[in-house]
Amino acid sequence: MKKTITLLVAGLFAVTSFTTLNAQDCKTKLSLFAENAKAKNYGEAETQLNELRKDCPTISSALYAYGERIYKNKIKTGTDKKAAAEELIQLYKDRIANVPAKTKKGDILGKIGTAMVDYKIGSVKSQYDVFDQAFKEDLANFTNPKSLYQYFELYYGMYTAGNQGVQLEDLIQKFEELTEKFESESERLAKTKNELIAKKDAGTELTSKEKRKEKIADTNIKAIAIFSGNMESLVEKVSTCETLIPLFRKNFDANRSNSLWLKRAAGRLDAKGCDEDPLFVELVEAVDALEPSANSKRYLSGIYERKGDVAKAEEYLRQSLSMETDPIKKARLLYKVATKAKKRGQKGKARKYYLEAVKNNPSLGGAYLNIARLYASSVNQCGNDEFSKRAGYWKAAEMARKAGQVDPSLKSIASRTVNSYMKSAPSKSDVFSKGYKGGESIPLNCWIGGSVRVPNL
């Protein structure tokens, strides 16, 4: 009996030692593999990757992170890109299965969906389903702007195909959901940018980690601007006042107690410029009665302004601005108020609210760009002669320049706008003939007020 127990213990010890040895072997192999991957010795690294995936699939998320580099390089340099993409997709799937605690599922599913779309793998429905899983199961980590756009683009294609059961109301709902997602990502990135801007303004140099953080934020801000704009362009074809009003009217009674539906419907009509229709008023009154918000008060302000009741319009606007406490959301609200005023030709009011928007969100370059356009549209009202009128373009260029400085997504358009305004402004010879040397101040005698400084041309 004693002998049997001794053999049993010895056997258990042997198993334990073997397991420990295997774990150590896995770590050693992983270390060698990582070094090859870092050194871009991808041929040797791929062989090691295959061994590790077979023998040590749960060892570390690093296995899959470095593996991603290998397959992305294979896609870039290889001849059979689709086959390499399929290998990459399987790697992503294995990562989800083998190291779930160290995997952002929404992000990885988004990468799978994008690879499927980019390399034409699977049906439209199977591609869509991967994105839909990311959206439903891990929205917080489903953030890549391109993947979010592809998700909607596929759904739009299913709608236009007419054989997938996607109705117009489904498409509009999906659009609103993704618009809200893009907005939340924009808010998150704006907060990151503003923290870094404040640090630089205080004279503190950014660390290498912060510089990388800023670069990532800039890249994603620009991508969101592009892909959310592309999404808007797609839905614009089928989302008009003529299609939306009957659609929302049909579903209004069934959704009178659904505040989310009411807010989205009112927001869509407002965005499309359908806010003069009686349905918009009904939607706004319904949502304000059910769940008052900064937006519902803003809508009411606009309604009463159109009725000519300035006092009531201003009261609702004050309520709207006082209800929104988050600075990034408040900036968006102020931007919308300013843009409405701009469309109505209320230039002074528009500038006021654009500047307030920038105070709340210093990286909101669109506000500066719109102020630049307001200035440029007013130059003929702002001078006593041709020179002083055209000098207003310097002021417009100054605002456009600020737009590109604070918002990377606007850098290109801001640069083109600055160049255009500088061409319209007085030339070097004009400045010389007036006897200016640069630095002199020219008053702007119009709604713009203040003055503009003659640049050193």
Side-chain angles (χ1 to χ4, degrees), residues 18 70 102 159 171 178 277 317 346 381 396 404 414 422 425 447:
F18 179 70
I70 292 167
K102 293 289 185 179
Y159 165 75
L171 182 70
L178 284 165
D277 191 89
L317 182 55
Q346 299 167 320
Q381 307 159 23
M422 291 303 286
W447 72 270

Side-chain angles (χ1 to χ4, degrees), residues 26 67 130 243 266 305 335 406 426 429 438 447:
C26 282
V130 172
T243 57
E305 185 169 3
Y335 187 90
V406 302
S429 59
W447 72 270

